[in-house]
Amino acid sequence: MAQSHDMMSRKPPGFRLFGGAGSLRKYQTLVLVLTFFAYTCFHMTRKITSIVKSALDPQTKVGFSHWGRLHTNNTLNIGWLPFNGVDGSALLGEVDVAFLAVYSVGMFFAGHIGDRMDLRIFLTIGMIGTAIFTTLFGAGYWLNVHSFYYFLVIQMISGLFQSIGWPSVVAVVGNWFGKSKRGLIMGIWNAHTSIGNIAGSLLAAFLLKFGWGWSFAIPSLIMAFVGLMVYIFLPVNPEVMEIDIDSGEFNCEKDTAKEPLLEPGQEVKDKAVGFLEAWRIPGVAPFALCLFFSKLVAYTFLYWLPFYISHTRIGGEYLSDAMAGSLSTIFDVGGVLGGVLAGHISDRLDARAITAASFMYCAIPALFLYRTYGSMSIVWNICLMFITGMFVNGPYALITTAVSADLGTHSSLNGNSRALATVTAIIDGTGSVGAAIGPLLTGYISSKSWSAVFTMLMAAALLAGLLLTKLVCAELKGKAPSNASKDAADAQGNGTVDYFVAKTDLSSKPSAHVMQQYKVGQFDLL
């Protein structure tokens, strides 16, 4: 009775108030929708500064410059102090890195806390806090604030609240969905990142004409509203809603729950995994370091692409700030397709590392072509930007979703279900360090040469792919027909089957169906 009362108290207020019991499918749909819009809002508010940069730090666009930008005199009454001087881009880069540095450090703590408290409340705190401090940044417009440190501190606190979002939404989704087609499902779900960037770009660009402060205020109100919906309606796991995840039916008498992402027969353990223990999970370190360089590339585009477009002659003309912001959304449209493709391909091949590395290697020529030929015309710019977004965001989406969920339920955890948020935070937190460094370096390097910026991005993409070499080799070795046939034959000859496909460190015990295939001499890696 006491347990039933505890479950009722942990239910979202909307369900406690209106009552009713839904099916597993309905709860899963609700979780996908709410977490999708929640993280869309996180990225929507995160994207605003990249759109407003050109209004804060306007550059002369008359004439031609090899680097696509010419500095204005500090005395001109345009832009917004202190960002409209000759060091404006460097100051904006410092604001970006302050935000991302706190975001990356906060991510490690957020994952640790998220595995130990109610994720619905924790996520709501992150959303409301982000909305408040994003609004305060825009309030500098109406309050006529020109202190660099005001904007710096506001962005740092905003980054702290933003760090709560990703570990929370991945952990909630992980609680409700099993391994079947995880890459495809999470690839589609992860479109919230690009949709948020697109929504933030279009909304902020539209509101610029009313004053740059509105570009921060209106998206913040939207985020606060979605945060309220999360608090009222988000069910964090099947146990809280008294759902039997195995049968998908309502079960108010069940006193134990099985984690859907765990292997059949594994009992859920309640003790949260420690930070160092999570780092030691096989595969966490290489994927985390790969994401470091992958996010360095992705976030450089996130924060600087509209600025780059507006200060580069395309088809012989400079685009307006609003037009540049709108055009930059093509990169995120390509990112949506890239995330879905990476997830689907990795499911079909059962090869996360091969897929992620291949996308990163393909991003290198895409970056070169965009820098070299993107200025020829609007059409060329759109096509090459779309392709670049697809290859840059594909592995980024795959690693932060399906790979994180795989590693958060690794067999070495022996059924411990409380590692998802911690592992997700470690991987994305490490990636966010790269996300902080990329925009910071771009702020300084771009003042001399945008070609040097793209060289940096291509080098980062190469390193991201190389860091997965060991896992790629393991996956290729596991898929070798000769090894597979030999091991299957040995297993059949011995009369017992205990074979493990050593594709990567992400492997798990074979299902009963696969075990039977080995017994009859069949071998199917897919």
Side-chain angles (χ1 to χ4, degrees), residues 43-295:
H43 260 266
M44 177 180 65
T45 53
R46 199 178 303 173
K47 180 68 176 178
I48 298 171
T49 53
S50 69
I51 303 300
V52 176
K53 268 182 180 148
S54 294
L56 300 177
D57 177 26
Q59 307 288 330
T60 300
K61 301 178 183 179
V62 179
F64 174 80
S65 170
H66 177 72
W67 301 284
R69 54 178 288 167
L70 293 171
H71 287 297
T72 59
N73 189 292
N74 196 13
T75 61
L76 293 179
N77 188 26
I78 55 177
W80 192 266
L81 283 171
F83 303 111
N84 62 348
V86 293
D87 59 346
S89 60
L91 292 177
L92 289 169
E94 290 172 8
V95 170
D96 289 342
V97 77
F99 169 88
L100 291 167
V102 175
Y103 174 80
S104 60
V105 173
M107 184 79 73
F108 296 110
F109 292 99
H112 186 74
I113 296 172
D115 279 330
R116 291 162 173 79
M117 70 174 291
D118 190 326
L119 287 170
R120 174 177 56 84
I121 297 175
F122 195 45
L123 180 58
T124 302
I125 292 172
M127 297 186 71
I128 299 299
T130 299
I132 291 173
F133 282 92
T134 301
T135 301
L136 287 176
F137 191 100
Y141 172 76
W142 294 291
L143 299 176
N144 200 31
V145 176
H146 295 282
S147 170
F148 169 73
Y149 293 102
Y150 170 85
F151 297 107
L152 185 71
V153 172
I154 290 297
Q155 278 294 81
M156 291 173 69
I157 300 175
S158 179
L160 185 63
F161 282 106
Q162 282 262 0
S163 68
I164 295 173
W166 189 241
S168 299
V169 296
V170 172
V172 171
V173 172
N175 287 337
W176 283 95
F177 291 89
K179 287 190 172 183
S180 177
K181 297 183 179 179
R182 180 187 294 169
L184 178 60
I185 291 174
M186 285 194 157
I188 296 173
W189 173 75
N190 193 66
H192 52 46
T193 298
S194 297
I195 297 299
N197 291 340
I198 293 170
S201 298
L202 296 178
L203 189 56
F206 171 76
L207 293 170
L208 267 180
K209 60 186 177 184
F210 302 106
W212 62 264
W214 291 104
S215 295
F216 288 91
I218 300 302
S220 298
L221 289 175
I222 296 173
M223 185 172 197
F225 173 77
V226 176
L228 182 62
M229 294 299 101
V230 165
Y231 177 77
I232 295 174
F233 293 111
L234 180 66
V236 296
N237 59 50
E239 184 181 10
V240 168
M241 303 310 297
E242 300 174 294
I243 285 286
D244 187 337
I245 195 66
D246 293 323
S247 65
E249 296 178 354
F250 179 72
N251 184 2
C252 61
E253 299 298 327
K254 89 182 193 67
D255 55 3
T256 61
K258 290 194 176 183
E259 180 66 37
L261 294 182
L262 299 178
E263 300 304 319
Q266 285 184 317
E267 296 296 329
V268 173
K269 297 180 180 180
D270 292 328
K271 184 179 178 181
V273 171
F275 181 78
L276 293 179
E277 183 183 355
W279 262 110
R280 289 194 293 267
I281 296 173
V284 167
F287 272 113
L289 293 174
C290 172
L291 191 63
F292 175 94
F293 291 102
S294 178
K295 286 192 75 169

Side-chain angles (χ1 to χ4, degrees), residues 512-526:
H513 174 66
V514 175
M515 297 280 279
Q516 183 63 33
Q517 284 185 317
Y518 293 153
K519 290 179 181 180
V520 298
Q522 297 175 342
F523 190 85
D524 182 9
L525 284 173
L526 300 179

Side-chain angles (χ1 to χ4, degrees), residues 317-382:
E317 298 180 357
Y318 287 102
L319 302 180
S320 67
D321 296 337
M323 181 62 182
S326 299
L327 184 62
S328 69
T329 60
I330 301 299
F331 179 85
D332 296 298
V333 174
V336 173
L337 178 61
V340 174
L341 282 178
H344 179 63
I345 292 171
S346 69
D347 279 342
R348 291 295 302 271
L349 298 179
D350 197 11
R352 308 292 196 208
I354 291 175
T355 304
S358 298
F359 269 67
M360 290 312 306
Y361 290 138
C362 290
I364 298 172
L367 287 164
F368 175 79
L369 292 173
Y370 180 67
R371 171 56 184 166
T372 305
Y373 300 105
S375 60
M376 291 178 60
S377 68
I378 290 290
V379 174
W380 274 99
N381 193 283
I382 289 174

